[in-house]
Amino acid sequence: PCARASTAVGWATRGGLLRPAAAAARLRDGKWWRSQKRGFAMSKALKHMQATVKDIPIENVRNFVIVAHVDHGKSTLCDRLLQLTGIVEMGSKQNQVLDSLPTERERGITIKAQTCSMLVNRGGKTYLLNLIDTPGHVDFNYEVSRSLRACQGAILLVDALQGIQAQTVSTFYSAFVADCTIIPALNKIDMPGAICEEIKKDLEVVLDMRKEDVHEVSAKTGVNVPKLVDAVIEKIPPPVGDPNKPFRALIFDMVYDKTKGVVFHVKVEDGQVSKRDKLVAHHAKLGVTPSEVGLLAMGLVPTETLMAGQVGYIVVGKKNIRSFRIGETLYVEKKPVEPFEGFRPARQMVWAGVYPELISDGEKLESAVQQLLMQDASVEAKREMSNALGFGFRCGFLGLLHMDVFKQRLESEFGMRIIITTPTVPYKMRLKNGTETEIATIEDFPAFPDLPPEKVWEPIIEGTIICMQEHLSNLTRLCLERRGLQTDLDFLEGGRIMIKYKLPLAEIVEGKFFAAVQELSSGYATFDYEHQGYRESDIVKVQVALNGDVVDEMSFLCLRDLAQDKAQAWCAKLQQLIPRQMFEIRIQARIGSKPIAKSVVKAVRKQVIRDSFLGKGDPSRIEKLLQRQKDGKARMREISNVQVPPEVFVEIMRI
C-alpha cells in the first residue's frame, strides 16, 4: 500500500495534477481512484465521438432544443440525457453540468444557452444528437429564438405540478414560428402532487396538442427518458443540407475564450470545413482562418472537419468579439454563397448607469466591464462621466434579471463594489424642429432650458399572466393601475386563468411589477411579456436639484399626471437619506422651470439656545450668535458641494 501510494503521489505531482498532500488525502478516503476512473470513462466516450462522427450521414443527425418555463427541469433533463449517452458517468452527483457560470449555479437558473453533442445507437445505427439547453426566463428569450434557428425540433417541457406557465406559451409559439417539430413532455411525474391528465387537457386546449402525443417523464429519476430519446430520433426530421455544395454555416452564438480567442458556435448548412480553410464573414467582410473546429460536448471536442447538418464550433483566434455579429454567414474564401436571413439584433430594453462605489476604482471597473462585454455580446456599454458618481458606464440590458446578473458577476468574479442607477426604458420622440430620435437615458431627454419634445412614444408590451381564479381581481386591479388594457382571457383546468394585458414597459421595469404580481398571488402567478412596439404618451422629465444644482442620477421620467405624487415621495425619501451637513440642503423637483415638490434637510448647528434655559447668556447675544451662524451657513451653501453618500443612490432604486 505504501509503494502504491508513493507511486500515485509521484505520478500526480509530476503531471501537475495534485500536490502530494492532496493526492495522499484523496488516496486515504478512496476518492482518488474513482475520480481517475471517471475521467478515463469520459475521455473514452469523447474519443469514440471523435473517431465516429465523420462517418455519420446527415440522415442520422438530429438537432433539437429544450424549452420550458423557469424551474420546470430543463437542466435536470439535460443531466439525464448526458448520463444516458455516456457523456457523464452514471451515478454522478454533479447537477447542472451544462451550466458553466458560477452565477447560474448560485441562482439555480440557466442564463446562457449551452450546446452538447451525444451519440446514440438505435436499431444498429449510430445517431448524432445535438442538444441545446436554453434559459427559461423572459429576459433571455433572445437566447431561445436564436437557438431555435439551429434546430429542427424542440422538446417542450412542462412541470406536472405547476402546469402551463406564461413562458411555456411564449416558447411554444417561438418554436412554432421557427417551424420546429415540437415534442411535448410532462416532467416530475414521480412527485405525489402530479396532475398529468389535467395538464394534458390544458395543452390540448391552449396549445392545440394531442393528449396521446404528450410524454410523461421524470428527469430526476430517469423514468421514460429513453423513450423521449426514441421520440427525438423518430419524430424530429434530419437537417436539410448538401455535403457536396460549397461550405455555408450560420453563426447562432459566440463566446470569448481567454486562451483561444473568439469561438463561433455554428450550424453547418452545406459542405464541410476544416482548420485549413480560409473563411469569410459575409456581413462583417472579415477573413478568418480557423485554428480548430469540432463538436461541443462538455467543452470543446476537436475533430478533423465539421460537416453539413452538424452543430459545432470554429475557433478563429480573434480578440474582439464585437467585430462579428450573431446571425452572420460564413463561407470559404472565393466561394461566395447565398447569405442567411440573419437574426434581428438583440434589443436592449433596460438602461442604467454602472459606477464604482469608490471613485478611485474607475480603472478597475473599466477593466472588469470590458472583460464581461467580451463574454456577453447582448450588453451595450458606453463610457460616461457623472459629476456625482465619477467615471462609469451607461449600460443597456435585455431586462431587469439580465441587469442583476451583470451586477452579480461584477461583484463575484471581479470583486467590484458598484452602484447601479435607476433603470429606464428607451423612448422615441419628435422635437419641435421635426426631428425624430430615440433616447435611452434620462440625460438625453430635453428639459429646461431646452424646448420640450413635441411628442413622445413609450414602448409597449403584451403581458401574459397565468394565475388562480381567486387572484384574478387583485391582478386585474394591478394591471389597470399600471395603465394596462386587457386583450384576452382564457380559463384553464384546475381553476386557473390566463389573462393578457397591453402595458407600458416602464411600468414593468420601474414599477417593480414582477414583485407585485408575486405578492398579490402569494407566489403562484407567472408573468411573461413580448414587445409590441410604441404608443404615444405624455411623458415628462422631472429634474431633481440639490441647492439649485440638477443631479441627473436622481432625476426620472414619468407620466405627467403622476409626476407630482411621485416627486413628493421622491423628495421625502431623499430628505431621509441625505445626511445632515454643515449647511441647509434644499431638495427641489421640477418640470422645466416649474417646481412641483420640495423638501429641506436642516443644517447641523450649534445649540446656543440651550444655555438660555439655564439662566446663562443675554438674549440679544443668543440672537446675534444664531444670525452669525445663519449667515455663515448661507455662504457655505453657496461655495460648498452637497456630499451624497453612495448608499443614497442604492436606496433610490427602491423608491
Side-chain angles (χ1 to χ4, degrees):
C2 295
R4 175 184 174 187
S6 62
T7 302
V9 171
W11 175 80
T13 306
R14 286 196 301 272
L17 299 177
L18 293 172
R19 295 179 182 272
R26 296 276 289 274
L27 275 170
R28 283 195 299 270
D29 60 18
K31 293 180 180 178
W32 188 84
W33 294 107
R34 289 198 295 272
S35 67
Q36 295 303 310
K37 183 179 179 181
R38 183 180 302 116
F40 175 77
M42 290 179 62
S43 176
K44 184 177 179 181
L46 296 180
K47 286 182 179 179
H48 176 65
M49 181 182 295
Q50 287 178 312
T52 59
V53 69
K54 62 179 181 295
D55 299 323
I56 298 177
I58 192 172
E59 294 80 11
N60 291 1
V61 177
R62 301 292 185 270
N63 302 323
F64 68 101
V65 64
I66 301 179
V67 293
H69 189 79
V70 179
D71 199 31
H72 277 207
K74 295 184 303 299
S75 297
T76 307
L77 179 59
C78 290
D79 293 345
R80 298 294 83 76
L81 291 173
L82 296 180
Q83 289 181 353
L84 184 66
T85 55
I87 301 298
V88 176
E89 183 187 8
M90 278 291 189
S92 173
K93 295 183 179 179
Q94 184 181 0
N95 298 321
Q96 296 177 266
V97 293
L98 289 182
D99 293 341
S100 57
L101 297 176
T103 306
E104 293 178 312
R105 296 186 175 276
E106 292 175 12
R107 291 175 171 264
I109 60 174
T110 301
I111 296 171
K112 181 72 175 173
Q114 299 291 340
T115 305
C116 188
S117 298
M118 305 168 288
L119 294 181
V120 176
N121 293 316
R122 288 292 187 275
K125 297 181 180 180
T126 300
Y127 291 88
L128 175 64
L129 306 185
N130 296 309
L131 157 71
I132 302 180
D133 180 24
T134 61
H137 195 276
V138 59
D139 281 9
F140 306 104
N141 193 47
Y142 182 65
E143 296 270 341
V144 178
S145 62
R146 70 190 189 198
S147 298
L148 287 168
R149 288 287 299 274
C151 300
Q152 289 75 45
I155 295 177
L156 180 65
L157 204 61
V158 182
D159 193 316
L161 298 173
Q162 302 179 33
I164 295 178
Q165 304 292 306
Q167 191 70 2
T168 308
V169 180
S170 175
T171 52
F172 166 79
Y173 283 111
S174 296
F176 182 79
V177 171
D179 198 23
C180 290
T181 300
I182 301 174
I183 300 176
L186 297 184
N187 190 23
K188 306 181 184 180
I189 62 170
D190 57 310
M191 301 297 289
I195 48 175
C196 298
E197 293 303 320
E198 293 182 6
I199 297 175
K200 286 182 180 180
K201 291 180 182 178
D202 285 345
L203 290 171
E204 192 173 31
V205 173
V206 179
L207 303 181
D208 196 24
M209 292 181 170
R210 297 191 306 172
K211 294 170 59 176
E212 53 270 21
D213 292 338
V214 180
H215 294 261
E216 298 182 8
V217 302
S218 171
K220 182 178 180 180
T221 63
V223 174
N224 292 335
V225 173
K227 294 182 180 179
L228 189 60
V229 174
D230 293 339
V232 168
I233 294 174
E234 295 172 3
K235 296 183 178 181
I236 296 179
V240 178
D242 189 347
N244 299 319
K245 286 186 176 181
F247 172 73
R248 184 172 71 135
L250 172 71
I251 302 175
F252 68 90
D253 200 0
M254 65 178 76
V255 296
Y256 179 81
D257 187 276
K258 293 182 179 179
T259 58
K260 297 179 181 293
V262 177
V263 181
F264 295 150
H265 292 187
V266 300
K267 169 200 172 186
V268 181
E269 186 75 13
D270 298 312
Q272 60 182 9
V273 64
S274 67
K275 63 181 182 180
R276 294 180 295 272
D277 297 324
K278 292 185 178 181
L279 306 180
V280 177
H282 181 272
H283 294 285
K285 306 298 183 185
L286 292 176
V288 294
T289 302
S291 59
E292 183 178 306
V293 301
L295 301 175
L296 295 156
M298 298 292 293
L300 306 181
V301 182
T303 59
E304 294 182 4
T305 60
L306 271 181
M307 304 176 65
Q310 295 179 358
V311 173
Y313 72 91
I314 299 176
V315 178
V316 296
K318 297 292 185 179
K319 298 301 180 183
N320 186 7
I321 195 172
R322 295 181 178 267
S323 300
F324 308 92
R325 69 181 188 183
I326 293 173
E328 183 73 89
T329 302
L330 287 178
Y331 64 90
V332 176
E333 189 178 28
K334 298 181 180 179
K335 295 182 180 179
V337 295
E338 183 70 23
F340 293 101
E341 183 180 348
F343 298 151
R344 183 177 58 186
R347 183 171 177 78
Q348 291 76 28
M349 299 305 297
V350 174
W351 291 81
V354 179
Y355 298 91
E357 283 193 9
L358 300 177
I359 296 180
S360 58
D361 286 344
E363 293 184 1
K364 185 179 177 182
L365 175 66
E366 181 176 12
S367 175
V369 169
Q370 292 298 340
Q371 291 186 56
L372 283 186
L373 289 178
M374 288 192 294
Q375 301 174 29
D376 190 351
S378 59
V379 177
E380 190 73 29
K382 305 173 184 176
R383 294 182 180 87
E384 68 175 10
M385 186 69 185
S386 167
N387 294 329
L389 299 174
F391 172 80
F393 288 88
R394 174 62 55 176
C395 297
F397 306 97
L398 302 179
L400 289 176
L401 178 61
H402 190 203
M403 180 182 74
D404 195 30
V405 167
F406 188 84
K407 176 178 180 291
Q408 183 176 349
R409 293 190 66 184
L410 283 174
E411 293 174 341
S412 61
E413 298 179 22
F414 300 95
M416 292 294 306
R417 296 174 58 189
I418 63 172
I419 298 171
I420 294 186
T421 61
T422 305
T424 60
V425 299
Y427 293 89
K428 291 183 178 181
M429 63 180 61
R430 181 188 299 157
L431 305 179
K432 293 290 186 180
N433 59 7
T435 304
E436 292 190 1
T437 184
E438 181 174 320
I439 63 105
T441 64
I442 296 176
E443 293 86 345
D444 296 336
F445 197 98
F448 183 81
D450 299 328
L451 292 175
E454 189 177 71
K455 287 185 178 181
V456 179
W457 294 269
E458 63 177 339
I460 299 297
I461 58 99
E462 183 175 57
T464 301
I465 300 176
I466 296 181
C467 63
M468 303 301 293
Q469 291 185 14
E470 55 264 30
H471 302 139
L472 178 61
S473 59
N474 291 334
L475 293 174
T476 300
R477 189 182 310 113
L478 172 67
C479 292
L480 293 176
E481 290 173 354
R482 301 300 173 88
R483 300 185 283 144
L485 177 64
Q486 184 175 327
T487 59
D488 196 8
L489 187 148
D490 287 322
F491 289 88
L492 307 178
E493 293 290 332
R496 297 186 305 150
I497 293 179
M498 182 174 67
I499 54 176
K500 293 186 178 182
Y501 272 86
K502 284 193 174 181
L503 295 155
L505 180 61
E507 297 289 348
I508 308 300
V509 171
E510 303 166 12
K512 301 178 182 176
F513 189 81
F514 285 100
V517 168
Q518 293 299 308
E519 181 180 354
L520 294 176
S521 64
S522 302
Y524 285 103
T526 59
F527 176 72
D528 178 50
Y529 64 87
E530 294 181 355
H531 298 286
Q532 297 288 321
Y534 288 77
R535 88 178 169 200
E536 185 177 351
S537 298
D538 189 9
I539 303 295
V540 295
K541 178 179 181 178
V542 179
Q543 294 178 300
V544 177
L546 302 180
N547 286 347
D549 295 331
V550 175
V551 182
D552 285 327
E553 290 76 16
M554 294 182 178
S555 303
F556 59 90
L557 304 176
C558 72
L559 201 67
R560 186 183 297 273
D561 295 340
L562 305 176
Q564 186 164 2
D565 292 339
K566 187 172 181 179
Q568 290 175 349
W570 205 266
C571 290
K573 187 68 174 180
L574 288 175
Q575 184 183 19
Q576 299 174 5
L577 295 175
I578 297 177
R580 296 176 66 184
Q581 301 180 28
M582 295 300 295
F583 51 89
E584 184 180 83
I585 302 174
R586 296 175 182 175
I587 306 171
Q588 185 185 73
R590 61 196 185 203
I591 300 176
S593 59
K594 177 184 177 182
I596 59 174
K598 67 178 182 179
S599 60
V600 177
V601 179
K602 297 293 185 181
V604 178
R605 69 176 191 174
K606 184 178 181 181
Q607 298 295 330
V608 296
I609 299 179
R610 180 181 56 188
D611 295 337
S612 65
F613 292 102
L614 300 177
K616 299 178 181 179
D618 184 82
S620 61
R621 177 173 174 79
I622 294 174
E623 292 178 3
K624 187 183 296 183
L625 287 173
L626 287 174
Q627 185 61 40
R628 187 184 302 169
Q629 183 174 248
K630 182 179 179 181
D631 294 341
K633 291 184 182 299
R635 290 192 300 271
M636 187 182 294
R637 185 174 65 245
E638 293 176 358
I639 64 175
S640 301
N641 293 323
V642 179
Q643 300 297 320
V644 182
E647 293 78 11
V648 174
F649 296 95
V650 176
E651 291 295 329
I652 283 177
M653 294 186 61
R654 302 175 183 174
I655 299 179

